[in-house]
Amino acid sequence: MNTSIYPEHGWPDEFVQRYRQAGHWQGETFGALLRSRALQHPDRVAVASDTQQVTYAQLDQQASAIAAGLLARGLVAGDRVIVHLPNIPEFVSVIFGLFRAGIIPLYALPAHRIAEIEHFASTGGARGYICAAEHAGFNYCNLASTLQQRCTSVEHVIVVGDNTRSFTTLQSILASGAGVPIPATVSSPQDIAFLQISGGSTGLSKLIPRTHDDYIYTLRESARICGLDSDSVFLCALPMAHNFPMSSPGFLGTLYVGGRVVLSLSPSPEACFGLIEREHVTQCSLVPPLLMLWLDAAACSKPNLSTLRVVQVGGAKLIPEVAQRVKPVLGVTLQQVFGMAEGLVNYTRLNDDADIIIHTQGRPISPDDEILIVDDNDVPVALGQPGHLLTRGPYTIRGYYNNPAANARSFTRDGYYRTGDIVKLTPTGYLVVQGRAGDHINRAGEKISAEEIENHLLAHPAVFDAAVVSVPDTYLGERSCAFIIPKNEKPRAIELKKWIRERGLADFKVPDQFIFVDTFSETAVGKISRKALRAQLRAQFESTQQSV
Ligand code: OOB
């Protein structure tokens, strides 16, 4: 067991004992889980899309074939493989194939581009990269080629779909592994099951190691809290690599209880309303901006959503005015979700009073989730006062993967994770999110590090200095605004946008707005922190908005 002050990953022994004795950690693994569900109800549909229906038995067979095929190619248990796939059934068979082989998936979002993927490959020491040939007009095979040139550790590229670059296809892996006998699991419950990526408020994303035991605990409890059972049909409309639609309760929570997962390549109301009707969807998760789109579309087009019972909304703050419209317009129960890929997830409960559902972001999953709300000096604030949220518990990581510097910043000496969120606690134990202490931008649930974008802007030859801040946006919640001091000639905003894209960053990180200034302020230059500068610029932005 890890005994360092900032353990890499893994809980100290006393906590391991406590979580086992409480029955939170039941010694399950993903590989064994799928086998057991396939034996319980082989012919039920596990995953459906516009073009495919995969039963539990088929999913189990595919997972074994993929595992055997990958092992035959030379990958071994413990290797890391980046999974870069959109919402297609192969996402599910691939990750269960990796679980079965004991290989660790590292989930990338479809929007990520070479800069992010290269960073994940090098920090994760990835040996493989699995992508779609093409999705939403982007050719992932070209990205794979560049990745292999830049990152020699990535020996294996596997592509879902035909490709002209002669990369190995998933089809051939499946064919080569079909029928090869392979155990349901080779992992121990406390092994790392996969790596998630952090929103990253300081610089580049960090990798989040989640174990079988801790993650499966959240699936079991989330399914219960969200009212899922084997008759439930969950529509996965958000990118399935994201922790929220993966596990809160998400597609994995649905598979845990033997329900049916329906995948949509797009979260738009046009794509989803038809699927809800056709597939008799009962549950779905959305971020607030999408919920707003759905509400507006449903109010106009009056779709048949009669099977839909619950919509989870999280990832960013939902304002009460919007929360209030959910029941009358969609006819469903709203469930607010405030969670993080690092662990802690809070839900409003389905039978909570309307006031709690509309005005709070829920309470923790587990009686063993420990919550501290503290001031800037780590001293607990009085009940009801806002403060920094710190947490530890049976499914909150104790450290990022391979990142002692980040661990020293993000965890207290006794293992609490510093979430970076400012919250208030109600007398009945519900959390109300007030905002962020750190400098990240929460753009429609996608987290953007100001520092990461500033560093790319500073590399532009015409930029003398850059500060990126979040500004309020009616639909996105927050959008990004870059304040730029040009060197000489003022560059055009369109040029800077192109620059960010060409540096291989996800599109959602391209600043929405640019403001060119001569100087940040007399006192700002070199004398105050970036954090204070960003706060000052944000205030400056807000005051100009009010005077317009
Ligand atoms: C989810 O996970 P991440 O890792 O992309 O982002 C976590 C951060 C939180 O620290 C908080 O700043 C923000 O996203 N957040 C919310 C929120 N839910 C997440 N802020 C206000 N209100 C909410 N309801 O976003 C995530 C993971 C699991 C479940 C749900 C969301």
Side-chain angles (χ1 to χ4, degrees), residues 197-199 208 242-244 247-248 313-318 336-342 344-345 361 419 421 433 436 440 442 445 447:
I197 50 166
S198 76
I208 298 171
H242 194 285
N243 192 59
F244 174 28
S247 63
S248 303
V313 181
K317 177 92 187 206
L318 177 64
Q336 292 216 39
V337 191
F338 162 45
M340 51 211 70
E342 283 82 354
L344 180 71
V345 177
Q361 278 64 57
T419 66
D421 292 313
V433 181
R436 289 280 308 172
H440 84 192
N442 189 337
K447 318 302 181 310

Side-chain angles (χ1 to χ4, degrees), residues 345-359:
V345 177
N346 304 274
Y347 292 105
T348 55
R349 302 312 199 250
L350 298 178
N351 58 359
D352 277 338
D353 290 345
D355 192 46
I356 287 182
I357 293 180
I358 287 167
H359 294 282

Side-chain angles (χ1 to χ4, degrees), residues 460 462 489-498 514 516:
H460 190 282
E489 196 129 318
K490 195 174 100 179
R492 293 191 317 153
I494 196 162
E495 226 175 85
L496 295 178
K497 288 190 176 196
K498 189 161 158 261
F514 286 87
F516 295 93

Side-chain angles (χ1 to χ4, degrees), residues 14 40 91 200 259 287 319 348 370 433 446 474:
E14 59 170 300
Q40 280 168 329
F91 188 111
V287 289
I319 56 168
T348 55
E370 297 174 73
V433 181
E446 301 286 14
T474 319

Side-chain angles (χ1 to χ4, degrees), residues 52 66 85 88-95 160 170-171 263:
Q52 293 183 57
I66 291 171
L85 295 172
I88 52 176
E90 288 83 352
F91 188 111
V92 186
S93 47
V94 161
I95 65 168
V160 179
L170 183 67
Q171 212 49 40
L263 300 178

Side-chain angles (χ1 to χ4, degrees), residues 374-498:
V374 300
D375 65 15
D376 289 345
N377 300 314
D378 281 354
V379 177
V381 298
L383 178 68
Q385 292 304 306
H388 302 272
L389 171 64
L390 312 185
T391 185
R392 68 179 184 187
Y395 59 96
T396 296
I397 56 163
R398 292 297 188 118
Y400 289 107
Y401 186 76
N402 241 343
N403 200 337
N407 290 346
R409 277 195 308 272
S410 303
F411 294 84
T412 67
R413 293 175 73 88
D414 44 8
Y416 282 86
Y417 167 57
R418 298 182 187 277
T419 66
D421 292 313
I422 305 289
V423 303
K424 287 201 299 201
L425 191 65
T426 70
T428 50
Y430 283 74
L431 295 173
V432 180
V433 181
Q434 307 287 298
R436 289 280 308 172
D439 275 314
H440 84 192
I441 298 129
N442 189 337
R443 186 183 189 275
E446 301 286 14
K447 318 302 181 310
I448 306 166
S449 150
E451 189 183 314
E452 182 186 1
I453 308 309
E454 286 166 3
N455 289 340
H456 284 285
L457 287 168
L458 285 170
H460 190 282
V463 172
F464 174 71
D465 205 352
V468 175
V469 304
S470 64
V471 297
D473 184 277
T474 319
Y475 269 93
L476 299 169
E478 293 177 6
R479 64 175 191 273
S480 58
C481 175
F483 284 82
I484 304 283
I485 303 179
K487 269 192 190 143
N488 298 309
E489 196 129 318
K490 195 174 100 179
R492 293 191 317 153
I494 196 162
E495 226 175 85
L496 295 178
K497 288 190 176 196
K498 189 161 158 261

